[in-house]
Amino acid sequence: MMEHSASESETEDHVQPLLRRKDTGDLQKAPACCSSRYGLAFLSCYGFFVAYALRVNLSVAMVDMLKNRSSANTSSSVCPHHSNPVPKHNHTASVYDWDSETQGWILGSFFYGYILTQIPGGYFARKYGAKWLFGIGILCTVIFTLLTPVAADLGAGYLIAVRVLEGIGEGVSFPAMHAMWASWAPPLERSRLLTVSYTGAQLGTVVALPLSGQICFYLDWTYVFYIFGAVGLLWFFLWACFVSNNPSSHKRITEAEKTYIMGSLKNELSPTTDYIPWTSILKSMPLWAIVVAHFSYNWTFYTLLTLLPTYMNDILGFSIQQNGMLSALPYLGCWLLALLGGQLADLLRERYLIRTVIVRKAFTIVGMVGPAVFLVAAGYTGCNYVLAVACLSISSSLGGISASGFNINHLDIAPSYAGILLGITNSFATIPGMVGPVIARTLTKSFFTIVV
């Protein structure tokens, strides 16, 4: 049997009385300010910032790495160009003659490595601890990012191989952090702590997209990888020095906070790390419901993540400088609504005692249906770039609500196996990142053939 029940109603019956007991004051809640659990949240946020900055910077740099992008002329886009008079674009780095299909494979290759380490990441984090797995995984991504310019000069095949290796390193990040939060996040603070932690992904996207555009313009595209790689090295140093696998091994945590965290989780976590109920896990219907939701959400998210800068350049006609800024807007809204959603979700559960399953379902529905409506609407905006950017921004922003829905639900149904569960759902949810850019590039190629 799974540690918690395999049906939603049974899961809720287990979790909700626990929440109510805590709300009556059986445990003294430790202050959030300067706490070790929120320190972990902010450092892991920085870690996901690095992970996603390294993941998306190629999307912007790609616009500048191609021979047919070497001059910003108005005929290269479907819609009229929006560039203002600016200094001459710096082009000291190499450019490459990669066709649309090759570009799609390069942008999607990260996910071929990413999918390989999802389930192993959750398993090893549970068995050996998440701190070093998470840290070394992102460090490997940093190292291969620094090698990206060399790989590109050697050829598209080498660049694809480097991106696959980056994906292998980064693939352990979410399962490892889910496993770590199983030991660190009190049930009534899960939405808040996890949204602070995981919205580093959106924050990294928000910063990396416009900054990559500026770096490409004023330096050249190779510095995109060198600068963000250096930021990643700094993060690894801080992570190695200040993070521990669990409260009991943390050197700077207060006794009050340690008692609060461990007391709130004592009835949830399995006492052994050896036994894993694989049969019960794979038969769990709530788990497969999360798989469907995760897969569906990521199809939109990954397609926009990898191809939005190209859409801004090839269709709407924005320059490399404007491109990064406008491509970042959707993720700025996603970051803000994810943070606010986390606060609201825990407020509804703690103060108003709304059942966890209702909160998770409601936030998932809003975070899935809302983005779908506005994404479809964006397809009918034509060259109205204000409306197009607005629709894409609203779509991605509403998607942030789902961060307090299906994305946290693994910890609700089986906290001791949360890393493994996330590894399973994220394996399926990585498929859109593998095939989405290739399919979108093929459709884009057909579109340009019709137009020309």
Side-chain angles (χ1 to χ4, degrees):
M1 292 292 292
M2 291 184 66
E3 175 190 354
H4 291 340
S5 50
S7 71
E8 283 184 346
S9 60
E10 291 174 348
T11 297
E12 190 59 32
D13 288 342
H14 176 96
V15 174
Q16 195 62 27
L18 182 62
L19 299 183
R20 291 179 184 271
R21 286 199 302 274
K22 291 181 182 62
D23 195 49
T24 60
D26 290 340
L27 284 171
Q28 182 65 39
K29 185 174 182 179
C33 183
C34 300
S35 65
S36 296
R37 65 190 187 280
Y38 275 88
L40 173 62
F42 288 117
L43 264 179
S44 60
C45 176
Y46 182 9
F48 284 110
F49 171 94
V50 170
Y52 269 69
L54 301 182
R55 186 184 301 194
V56 306
N57 55 14
L58 181 62
S59 299
V60 176
M62 179 71 75
V63 176
D64 220 38
M65 293 168 70
L66 305 175
K67 286 184 178 179
N68 60 348
R69 304 287 188 261
S70 60
S71 62
N73 53 65
T74 57
S75 62
S76 63
S77 63
V78 173
C79 300
H81 209 73
H82 301 286
S83 181
N84 296 321
V86 291
K88 182 175 175 59
H89 189 161
N90 193 334
H91 276 291
T92 58
S94 302
V95 290
Y96 310 99
D97 188 20
W98 296 328
D99 59 25
S100 182
E101 184 178 357
T102 301
Q103 295 169 46
W105 284 110
I106 292 172
L107 290 172
S109 58
F110 174 93
F111 300 100
Y112 286 88
Y114 189 70
I115 197 172
L116 296 178
T117 48
Q118 293 296 317
I119 296 176
Y123 174 79
F124 286 119
R126 170 176 166 77
K127 190 170 182 64
Y128 300 111
K131 173 185 174 177
W132 291 112
L133 186 66
F134 183 79
I136 293 175
I138 293 185
L139 177 63
C140 290
T141 307
V142 169
I143 292 171
F144 287 116
T145 294
L146 293 170
L147 295 175
T148 297
V150 175
D153 277 339
L154 292 174
Y158 288 92
L159 180 56
I160 290 172
V162 164
R163 292 291 289 179
V164 170
L165 292 172
E166 286 184 39
I168 289 174
E170 200 171 307
V172 303
S173 55
F174 279 101
M177 273 313 302
H178 246 45
M180 181 171 276
W181 280 125
S183 300
W184 274 97
L188 286 178
E189 296 187 33
R190 278 180 184 150
S191 301
R192 278 172 285 198
L193 287 168
L194 269 71
T195 50
V196 169
S197 176
Y198 293 152
T199 51
Q202 284 79 34
L203 191 59
T205 306
V206 166
V207 173
L209 288 174
L211 186 56
S212 295
Q214 297 297 320
I215 292 171
C216 284
F217 191 89
Y218 289 107
L219 298 172
D220 63 54
W221 63 262
T222 61
Y223 285 91
V224 170
F225 304 101
Y226 297 144
I227 291 173
F228 284 111
V231 172
L233 291 175
L234 174 61
W235 168 82
F236 179 75
F237 173 78
L238 296 174
W239 182 262
C241 291
F242 296 109
V243 168
S244 297
N245 279 314
N246 49 58
S248 62
S249 62
H250 199 286
K251 296 179 180 179
R252 289 167 296 278
I253 192 172
T254 65
E255 284 300 321
E257 184 180 11
K258 183 189 296 186
T259 301
Y260 167 59
I261 295 173
M262 297 180 70
S264 67
L265 295 172
K266 67 180 180 180
N267 294 323
E268 293 205 352
L269 297 179
S270 171
T272 177
T273 60
D274 295 328
Y275 175 69
I276 299 175
W278 290 107
T279 301
S280 296
I281 287 174
L282 296 177
K283 289 182 178 180
S284 171
M285 292 309 295
L287 172 64
W288 291 106
I290 298 172
V291 167
V292 173
H294 206 164
F295 178 93
S296 303
Y297 175 79
N298 273 19
W299 188 282
T300 299
F301 181 80
Y302 282 145
T303 300
L304 287 181
L305 194 68
T306 53
L307 294 179
L308 190 56
T310 302
Y311 168 76
M312 293 289 184
N313 184 85
D314 291 353
I315 305 300
L316 298 184
F318 289 107
S319 68
I320 188 70
Q321 285 182 302
Q322 298 164 318
N323 192 329
M325 294 293 294
L326 293 171
S327 296
L329 282 178
Y331 302 102
L332 178 61
C334 184
W335 171 65
L336 289 172
L337 283 190
L339 286 176
L340 293 174
Q343 298 294 320
L344 178 59
D346 280 347
L347 179 68
L348 293 173
R349 296 164 64 230
E350 184 175 8
R351 180 172 299 179
Y352 298 103
L353 298 179
I354 296 178
R355 297 173 66 209
T356 301
V357 67
I358 295 175
V359 172
R360 300 297 185 225
K361 284 182 176 180
F363 278 64
T364 299
I365 290 171
V366 173
M368 301 282 279
V369 176
V373 170
F374 283 95
L375 187 63
V376 171
Y380 293 92
T381 58
C383 289
N384 187 334
Y385 65 92
V386 174
L387 193 56
V389 172
C391 285
L392 290 172
S393 298
I394 295 172
S395 174
S396 186
S397 298
L398 290 175
I401 298 293
S402 66
S404 296
F406 73 86
N407 205 35
I408 298 177
N409 206 209
H410 314 74
L411 281 162
D412 297 324
I413 64 175
S416 285
Y417 310 108
I420 294 173
L421 298 189
L422 183 64
I424 293 171
T425 67
N426 214 18
S427 294
F428 287 94
T430 300
I431 295 173
M434 297 165 63
V435 302
V438 177
I439 293 175
R441 284 286 183 179
T442 303
L443 294 174
T444 302
K445 183 178 180 181
S446 301
F447 170 79
F448 274 113
T449 302
I450 295 172
V451 170
V452 174

